[in-house]
Amino acid sequence: MTFIKNYVNMLSGASSSFILLSVLFLFIVYFCLLDGRVRSRGGMAMLAFGILLTVGGLIFSFPTFVLGLTYLASMFLLAWLGPRIWEKRIGLYILVILSVAFGLSMLDPQFFLIAGKPDNVPIAAMIFLLGFFTWLALRKAYLNDRAMAAGGIPFEKTESDEKLFTWPDLVYTEMLCMIILSVVMVVWSLALRAPLEEAANPTTSPNPAKAPWYFLGLQEMLVYFDPWLAGVVLPTLIVVGLMAIPYIDTNPRGNGYYSFRERKWELGIFLYGFLVLWSFLIITGTFLRGPNWNFFGPYEYWDLNKLVPLVSINLSELIWVKALGMPLPKLWLIREFFGLALVGLYLALPPILARVGFRRFYLKMGAARYYVGTFLFLMMMSLPIKMFLRWLFNLKYIVQVQEVFFNI
Amino acid sequence: MKPQEPIPHNYSMQTLNKIFAISSIALLMVTGAMVGYDYIRGWKKFQFEFLRMQRQRIEQEIKTASDAQTADRLRELDKQVKVSQREIAKNREQYRASQAEAERWEGKHYAADQDFRFAKATLDAARYETELAITQKARDAGARRRDYAERSAHVDQLQIRLQEVTRSRDAARARADVWVKKVKDLEDQRSETTAAIDRLNKQLTTVSANSHFFILNAPMLDFINPTFKVDQVVLKDMFVDMNYMGVPRVDRCTTCHRAIDRQGFESKKEAARMQGELESKLDAFKIQPQQVEDTRARIEQLKKIQAGPRDILNPYRTHPKLDTFVGSASPHPMSDYGCTACHRGSDRATEFGRAGHTPMSRKQERRWSKGWDYDKRNWGYKVNPFLDTPMYPRQNLQAGCVKCHAGQVSINQGEEITRGTRMVELYGCHACHKISNWRFSNLRKPGPDLTGIAEKTTPQWAIRWIAEPHEFRSTTRMPSFFYQRNMVDPHVVERREREGNIKKQDAEVHAITSYLFDKSTRRKWIGGMGGDAQRGASLVESVGCLGCHVTTESFTEEGGKVRKAKRDDFPLERNYGFNLTGTGTKSNPDWLFNWLKNPKGYYHDAPMPDLRLTDQEAADITAYLMTLQKRDFMQRPVRNVDRAALRELSKSYLINTLTDKDAEARLKSMSDNDQLVYLGQRTIEKYGCYSCHTIKGFDGLKPIGTELTIEGSKNLHLFDFGFAHDYKAHDGKKEHILHTVPSWIYTKTRSPRVWDDKREKNYHDKLKMPNFHLSVDEANSITSVVLGLTKEKVDSAKLAGSDSRSRIIEEGRKSISQHNCRACHVLDGYGRAIAQTISDPGMLPPDLTPQGERVQSEWLFNFLKDPTVMTMRPWLSVRMPTFHFSDQETNTLVTHFAAAGNVSQFDTTRNLVPDARSVAVGQQIFNMLRCIQCHPTGPAAATASADAASLAPALNLARVRLRHDWIPDWVRRPNEIIPGTKMPTNFPRDPKDGHFISPLADAINSPAFAAQKSGLLPYFRDEAELTKTMSDAVALTNYLRDYIWTLGPSQMRTASPAPEGLKTIVPTDRGSPSIGKARGTPEVKVERAGR
């Protein structure tokens, strides 16, 4: 038991859990949705990366080794399961296994303290709901894809076009939903009371001080970005980007029915952003961030006194001081030259990509849609990139101009 | 018609209906549950239980009230009623006729009354119209006036008629009433008999569960006027600090603490205490005559409580000391002060844990924490770390007094906090920890001046003393800085580090000693010769040294077990001066002689007063003190300084300002001794020795401790609990640490370094607070004081002692506390620690509780400045010391006493000349009362009697000393003013109304006083007047006073100004003989040895 707990605690470190979730996402897409095989080019590449991770971990760091092993294990598991994961029976198995794991975890006092907290119950529920509905949608998409590949039509099209009565088919069921939901809400509010707490005291803020659960993803972003980016620019782009989707995504296929193959980029990007970059960060912020915003495994005691060294470093320091052995130039323009260049390069990627790599999209979408879409995509990807830079090089800021409070 | 085709549906209607049915029932049930959850509250259970208790009590009382006697009386009355009714029945015809007559007149009266009232109403309206017409000069004004006059006359007529009708009606009614009068009277009697029971029954209905009760308290209906409701007191001028604003307190404590302001629910202990208090008050006539009966009834009630089968437990108890707290007649009525203003806690909360109850011990916390069970007193308690103001735990209750009473030295009914405050002052907490309030500002440094330490003692002693003062004197206030838990305790510090620490501590101790002796002045003191230790010993016992000093280190417990004394075995006052044991080991006899002669000559802040010892006396005492040896102490091994440790420590300070290389060079240039002195200076700085002691080279340095001015408001998360959960204190007691602020402060005082347990710290970063070896009680008292130091702001109207008179009184009290006057005198009703050592109460220093109203301010001023100006009781061996007060200090005390006695400071009564008749009468009374038996009337008589203990102050001193109004008052009621005084009560009080009874009223007519009677008669008109005067205590005592007024001189010697050289007085010269030399002007000569 302790072994399993330690194993889970180790895997839920900020970098490990993020990497694991990202690759799981990749595995599911590759092996379960796109019928990929291990003995294919992609499969072999993944395998190679996994072996690299394991061997590298064995030499350099134990957690990475554990991560590598888990990577390989889950890769083979998902490759073995393949599309069978969409079978109802397998889905049920997964649900049962996860529920049992969750239930057993509740026996652990630390886990219970965090997961059993009334505030956190909806998030625990969200994990299950999110998983279930994602599984359901992908299952339908896969079935349709298979049917269409076999020359058939999507399931939704087979449903009759005949008309139904408002009463009872609509109103009655809506009323039932209303009643049942009311019952659930009342029971919930009775079971998990919301107490009136003490008067707010500016000198005694709770530690950890957490945003409302739906903002925890944003709060998690603050770990990696300057507030103006994480708190202003990125949220704005998220909202704008979501609004822009219908105008960017003009792919007519998949309308009115579930399908993955017909819109694998659109769905892939969206699901990655929503599941990994948003929902997962919320879950992280809720369950794994403890006092002083330190990372704690799910079975770890939230020790107020835990100290983690703050040794992150700026790109300018990395280049000027460490690599070139010089003091930092006084003028910020020179000091931050490399960082600025790097950021400029990143922002200049869309036109470059239009020629190599993304040419296909450029031609399909047209210039305007392509540039907006790629820009938004790059912005989205800046988060995982920054996260990896932090984990790999302890990189604090790529550009830091304290003089004007401008940090990237 | 064809039957309609079945409509196709997506869902089966039957299934939907089933779901609908089930979910609707579920909704109904959860709604019910919701109401239920809202309805069931913890406090309702308490209120219900309290109703039950009240019901039980009332039923019990009804049972007692309806005894057999009452029942008999009622039966008798009922019988009489029946007889009377039978009589009425016999004369039914007449009775009915008179009834009818009365009713007819009733009707007529009704009509007449109505006529009159209507006419009057019309008239009033007409008056208005008329006045309007007149003002507006209307044409019909004249007509209206006439009309008004007519109406007015009509109303008068109607009134007369009404009066006639009323008279007739009353007569008719009286005729009719004759018949029923008897029955009515009997019924009145009956209800009188049952009045008490009726009242109780009425009360019973208010606490019984009747039909109303259930409707009023039904769920969803209980918003109208429920029996169970949240009870609250709104305090408009007591604020809860909400960080951005103050919100008026709304104390809801009484929701559960139902009986807090109701008498009759006291605990047995409190009831016993109160009974004793009330009885002694009754005996002393301190209760108003009209309240005596109520008091007796209350005593009965208290007895009943004590006889009850079970003690009443909280939350149903009455607040203790209801006459001081919570009671409506007390100084802290609940309507003005509520509960949380003193107790703290969450004012609006109605649940146990949320209200902020704080456990007093781990045991209590454990009990509270278990579920909810009233009988086992489990309350489902959980720590709420976010509550800024949890309640004070029981042992620190009096912390709540401080915020309003910080301007007072002693708090009435707050003995613990008063004692704690005095302890903080004496032990010197305020010296290292700044406390910015009136009480702890402008105090002298608590420790002795060390600038001349070399004159007083030896380095060998000082090293051992600094290392472990408690080994030398178990009662010392000097705390232990070295070899403490975080440095040497084998359970806390691992071996290698411990060894290093011991070496470093050794070096620091040596270094401090080196510094002190290096910088010390070295004046040469010439001691006395020919001292006799035995004489000295008896002098120490008799002149008053034992008021401030203790001469023993062993203490006999109640069981007869002898153990080493602890500080709180003795009253605080006797710990004021150091324990004299071991003085001989410590002191240089020459220095000691001079110190005894004139402490201020050694340093001007010396707390020891001048007892005006002659050289011989001083030499005797010196000889005696030098016999108090502690040779064992000097045998204690002293380890040599480890050179490496010395270097390391010195370097650790040097590299604060120098680079490693420079520091090394600097060290090389210093000799070992230089290094020691350098390290000594740094170490004194590190431990803050200069906060308590004056040490050369540390002027103006800030104290090193955390400021405590608002420590009580500091939030829990600002206290570092480290990794400690329990600890073993110096007295071997194992104690648990609760995660509460009071527990933290308590632990810090008991075991100051416990927070270093299991921590990795550099040598200099380790905690430095020394160990005062506080007992549990001492630590609790000090904790209460610190907890009471909050940032809460109190409305000026509620600040105690803020008016100008109180300020004068409190300044005086502060001075009294600082000069330890209570060592010898009773002040404000307590003190006189010296009484422990003087068996004869006649030889005790005076009780000064009524000093202001007793003595003239002018006399007091002179006496304080120089007690030799008058000797009231020459037979006393205890001496009033000379404090060498400045005029200002003296005035502080004089004005204090005048203000405390509520008298004006100066008056002209000293110059009053009583008329001859009063004096003559007074003299006769003086003789009759035989005052001369104890009170000498002149200087010659003072030494006449050998039996000193029965003597009283000479009366020839009265005129210049006592106040004119005081004498008669004192003669009348000495025992009330100073309980236990030797002055006999000549005028006892009448136990019925509390008037004075004069013994002379009868005595004057007895043959024994025939001579006096004949001597008195000429001054009175007749014998009747004489007898009347003789029974008038006030008149008698006034005559007596007038006589006494003539006995002594009206002027007295006044104190001369203090000699200029007093503050800098230094030892007499080496060459001149000190014995036999009168206390003359000292010569100023300072010799410095070496350097």
mmCIF file of all heavy atoms in Angstrom, chain B residues 650-665:
data_model
loop_
_atom_site.group_PDB
_atom_site.id
_atom_site.type_symbol
_atom_site.label_atom_id
_atom_site.label_comp_id
_atom_site.label_asym_id
_atom_site.label_seq_id
_atom_site.Cartn_x
_atom_site.Cartn_y
_atom_site.Cartn_z
ATOM 1 N N SER B 650 34.495 34.865 19.136
ATOM 2 C CA SER B 650 34.932 36.234 18.867
ATOM 3 C C SER B 650 34.913 36.502 17.372
ATOM 4 O O SER B 650 34.457 37.541 16.904
ATOM 5 C CB SER B 650 36.343 36.455 19.402
ATOM 6 O OG SER B 650 36.389 36.148 20.768
ATOM 7 N N LYS B 651 35.383 35.516 16.623
ATOM 8 C CA LYS B 651 35.429 35.679 15.165
ATOM 9 C C LYS B 651 34.024 35.800 14.595
ATOM 10 O O LYS B 651 33.776 36.588 13.694
ATOM 11 C CB LYS B 651 36.174 34.494 14.552
ATOM 12 C CG LYS B 651 36.528 34.731 13.103
ATOM 13 C CD LYS B 651 37.354 33.584 12.578
ATOM 14 C CE LYS B 651 37.231 33.531 11.072
ATOM 15 N NZ LYS B 651 37.910 32.361 10.546
ATOM 16 N N SER B 652 33.119 35.021 15.162
ATOM 17 C CA SER B 652 31.758 35.040 14.618
ATOM 18 C C SER B 652 31.173 36.442 14.708
ATOM 19 O O SER B 652 30.319 36.822 13.913
ATOM 20 C CB SER B 652 30.878 34.037 15.358
ATOM 21 O OG SER B 652 30.623 34.493 16.664
ATOM 22 N N TYR B 653 31.614 37.221 15.714
ATOM 23 C CA TYR B 653 31.125 38.600 15.782
ATOM 24 C C TYR B 653 31.936 39.499 14.875
ATOM 25 O O TYR B 653 31.401 40.396 14.243
ATOM 26 C CB TYR B 653 31.206 39.113 17.220
ATOM 27 C CG TYR B 653 30.179 38.475 18.121
ATOM 28 C CD1 TYR B 653 30.537 37.597 19.121
ATOM 29 C CD2 TYR B 653 28.828 38.767 17.952
ATOM 30 C CE1 TYR B 653 29.589 37.019 19.942
ATOM 31 C CE2 TYR B 653 27.876 38.189 18.762
ATOM 32 C CZ TYR B 653 28.255 37.314 19.758
ATOM 33 O OH TYR B 653 27.317 36.759 20.538
ATOM 34 N N LEU B 654 33.255 39.247 14.829
ATOM 35 C CA LEU B 654 34.103 40.116 14.026
ATOM 36 C C LEU B 654 33.729 40.076 12.557
ATOM 37 O O LEU B 654 33.756 41.094 11.868
ATOM 38 C CB LEU B 654 35.583 39.721 14.197
ATOM 39 C CG LEU B 654 36.217 40.143 15.521
ATOM 40 C CD1 LEU B 654 37.594 39.521 15.673
ATOM 41 C CD2 LEU B 654 36.321 41.665 15.581
ATOM 42 N N ILE B 655 33.384 38.891 12.070
ATOM 43 C CA ILE B 655 33.137 38.812 10.619
ATOM 44 C C ILE B 655 31.811 39.439 10.222
ATOM 45 O O ILE B 655 31.477 39.479 9.049
ATOM 46 C CB ILE B 655 33.204 37.364 10.073
ATOM 47 C CG1 ILE B 655 32.219 36.490 10.816
ATOM 48 C CG2 ILE B 655 34.601 36.802 10.111
ATOM 49 C CD1 ILE B 655 32.038 35.124 10.176
ATOM 50 N N ASN B 656 31.087 39.943 11.215
ATOM 51 C CA ASN B 656 29.893 40.705 10.833
ATOM 52 C C ASN B 656 30.288 41.972 10.096
ATOM 53 O O ASN B 656 29.542 42.466 9.251
ATOM 54 C CB ASN B 656 29.071 41.083 12.067
ATOM 55 C CG ASN B 656 28.286 39.902 12.582
ATOM 56 O OD1 ASN B 656 28.079 38.935 11.849
ATOM 57 N ND2 ASN B 656 27.861 39.964 13.827
ATOM 58 N N THR B 657 31.460 42.509 10.465
ATOM 59 C CA THR B 657 31.872 43.759 9.823
ATOM 60 C C THR B 657 33.173 43.608 9.054
ATOM 61 O O THR B 657 33.494 44.460 8.253
ATOM 62 C CB THR B 657 32.057 44.868 10.888
ATOM 63 O OG1 THR B 657 32.829 44.327 11.965
ATOM 64 C CG2 THR B 657 30.714 45.336 11.426
ATOM 65 N N LEU B 658 33.902 42.530 9.360
ATOM 66 C CA LEU B 658 35.205 42.369 8.697
ATOM 67 C C LEU B 658 35.183 41.151 7.777
ATOM 68 O O LEU B 658 34.349 40.254 7.954
ATOM 69 C CB LEU B 658 36.304 42.181 9.746
ATOM 70 C CG LEU B 658 36.491 43.315 10.748
ATOM 71 C CD1 LEU B 658 37.499 42.908 11.798
ATOM 72 C CD2 LEU B 658 36.948 44.572 10.033
ATOM 73 N N THR B 659 36.123 41.121 6.856
ATOM 74 C CA THR B 659 36.273 39.903 6.066
ATOM 75 C C THR B 659 36.987 38.870 6.914
ATOM 76 O O THR B 659 37.555 39.191 7.953
ATOM 77 C CB THR B 659 37.119 40.154 4.806
ATOM 78 O OG1 THR B 659 38.434 40.508 5.249
ATOM 79 C CG2 THR B 659 36.528 41.253 3.960
ATOM 80 N N ASP B 660 36.942 37.653 6.445
ATOM 81 C CA ASP B 660 37.531 36.557 7.208
ATOM 82 C C ASP B 660 39.004 36.834 7.529
ATOM 83 O O ASP B 660 39.459 36.650 8.652
ATOM 84 C CB ASP B 660 37.398 35.271 6.388
ATOM 85 C CG ASP B 660 37.714 34.065 7.222
ATOM 86 O OD1 ASP B 660 36.789 33.573 7.900
ATOM 87 O OD2 ASP B 660 38.895 33.638 7.200
ATOM 88 N N LYS B 661 39.705 37.342 6.534
ATOM 89 C CA LYS B 661 41.141 37.567 6.678
ATOM 90 C C LYS B 661 41.412 38.656 7.708
ATOM 91 O O LYS B 661 42.236 38.490 8.614
ATOM 92 C CB LYS B 661 41.716 37.986 5.319
ATOM 93 C CG LYS B 661 43.123 37.517 5.098
ATOM 94 C CD LYS B 661 43.489 37.798 3.655
ATOM 95 C CE LYS B 661 44.986 37.648 3.441
ATOM 96 N NZ LYS B 661 45.342 38.088 2.093
ATOM 97 N N ASP B 662 40.675 39.763 7.590
ATOM 98 C CA ASP B 662 40.860 40.869 8.533
ATOM 99 C C ASP B 662 40.521 40.426 9.944
ATOM 100 O O ASP B 662 41.181 40.798 10.914
ATOM 101 C CB ASP B 662 39.976 42.053 8.141
ATOM 102 C CG ASP B 662 40.469 42.676 6.848
ATOM 103 O OD1 ASP B 662 41.613 42.339 6.457
ATOM 104 O OD2 ASP B 662 39.724 43.472 6.259
ATOM 105 N N ALA B 663 39.465 39.623 10.056
ATOM 106 C CA ALA B 663 39.052 39.166 11.375
ATOM 107 C C ALA B 663 40.146 38.332 12.013
ATOM 108 O O ALA B 663 40.463 38.493 13.195
ATOM 109 C CB ALA B 663 37.760 38.360 11.259
ATOM 110 N N GLU B 664 40.758 37.468 11.204
ATOM 111 C CA GLU B 664 41.841 36.636 11.721
ATOM 112 C C GLU B 664 42.980 37.515 12.229
ATOM 113 O O GLU B 664 43.514 37.295 13.319
ATOM 114 C CB GLU B 664 42.364 35.694 10.627
ATOM 115 C CG GLU B 664 41.461 34.508 10.340
ATOM 116 C CD GLU B 664 41.487 33.479 11.455
ATOM 117 O OE1 GLU B 664 42.382 33.560 12.330
ATOM 118 O OE2 GLU B 664 40.609 32.598 11.475
ATOM 119 N N ALA B 665 43.315 38.515 11.422
ATOM 120 C CA ALA B 665 44.398 39.406 11.784
ATOM 121 C C ALA B 665 44.070 40.123 13.078
ATOM 122 O O ALA B 665 44.902 40.241 13.992
ATOM 123 C CB ALA B 665 44.623 40.418 10.668
#
